[in-house]
Amino acid sequence: ASKITWLPLLAPLGRRYRVIVPDLPGHGESEKPRREYTPRFYARVVRHLMDAFELKQSAIVGNSLGGRIALELALRSPGRVAGLALLDPSVPGLRWRYMMGFTRAFPTRIGAIPFPLRERWMEVLIRRLFAQPDRMPTGGYLSAASEFIRIYRNPSARMASVSTLRHIVTERPDAFFASL
């Protein structure tokens, strides 16, 4: 995903808080270098972003992978995190075990292979992410599907996504939860 998923919340949050919504490396409009996209890497990126904005401490809000990154940041730099708001964080060991074999068997470079992305398929997949899909207008799903396709037509974006997924899926849950 990209920072665009936060658009509906920016105005309400911005009335009361300073809001910084980045596209992390490998996602959205950011650079997509070839590298290992681990939660530790992303936490380091967020820490550097906080340094660039001269923020000693912040409340961190994260959805899915962003929630996992927020947890990693809190574990590695607890003094930098004033609070966490986690929305369905991607933690290891939950509902992902069936994907583990897939992510270990295929190299990150598999993302470079062109894959037909269809707007209707993406809309259906995005709708399935919601417990009550009718609460969001159809235009929101169409916009999200179009944005996803626009970004992931880029082979570098697909490779970054595969690398990120591999690290989230194959992370050992016992070690993670012990540190938590």
Side-chain angles (χ1 to χ4, degrees):
S2 71
K3 64 185 173 197
I4 199 167
T5 60
W6 293 101
L7 273 178
L9 295 174
L10 293 183
L13 287 173
R15 284 192 281 275
R16 189 164 175 200
Y17 304 101
R18 179 179 184 195
V19 180
I20 300 168
V21 185
D23 271 336
L24 294 171
H27 298 277
E29 299 299 323
S30 71
E31 293 183 9
K32 294 157 184 66
R34 281 192 167 185
R35 63 162 302 116
E36 295 296 313
Y37 289 92
T38 65
R40 180 181 278 187
F41 162 73
Y42 284 122
R44 193 168 41 251
V45 167
V46 173
R47 219 173 23 255
H48 289 286
L49 180 66
M50 291 173 71
D51 291 343
F53 281 95
E54 299 179 352
L55 302 171
K56 289 186 177 197
Q57 198 178 53
S58 294
I60 307 293
V61 179
N63 178 40
S64 191
L65 172 62
R68 175 64 181 91
I69 295 166
L71 285 167
E72 189 72 21
L73 181 64
L75 288 169
R76 299 197 174 277
S77 302
R80 304 293 302 266
V81 178
L84 293 173
L86 306 174
L87 308 164
D88 198 20
S90 298
V91 296
L94 302 176
R95 297 180 5 183
W96 292 95
R97 296 317 243 177
Y98 65 92
M99 293 285 295
M100 194 175 291
F102 168 79
T103 60
R104 285 187 177 155
F106 294 104
T108 299
R109 292 181 310 279
I110 197 165
I113 298 170
F115 182 78
L117 297 170
R118 303 283 186 257
E119 194 168 277
R120 179 69 185 134
W121 297 350
M122 291 299 108
E123 181 188 348
V124 168
L125 287 172
I126 293 168
R127 278 182 180 276
R128 296 195 67 184
L129 295 173
F130 293 88
Q132 298 175 337
D134 294 335
R135 293 186 72 185
M136 188 160 104
T138 301
Y141 290 109
L142 293 174
S143 294
S146 294
E147 178 71 0
F148 182 90
I149 290 169
R150 184 184 71 76
I151 291 168
Y152 287 99
R153 280 195 176 125
N154 178 338
S156 296
R158 293 191 305 268
M159 287 190 292
S161 182
V162 170
S163 176
T164 301
L165 179 64
R166 174 181 294 119
H167 289 287
I168 293 295
V169 172
T170 60
E171 185 177 13
R172 297 186 48 87
D174 42 339
F176 169 77
F177 285 106
S179 68
L180 193 62

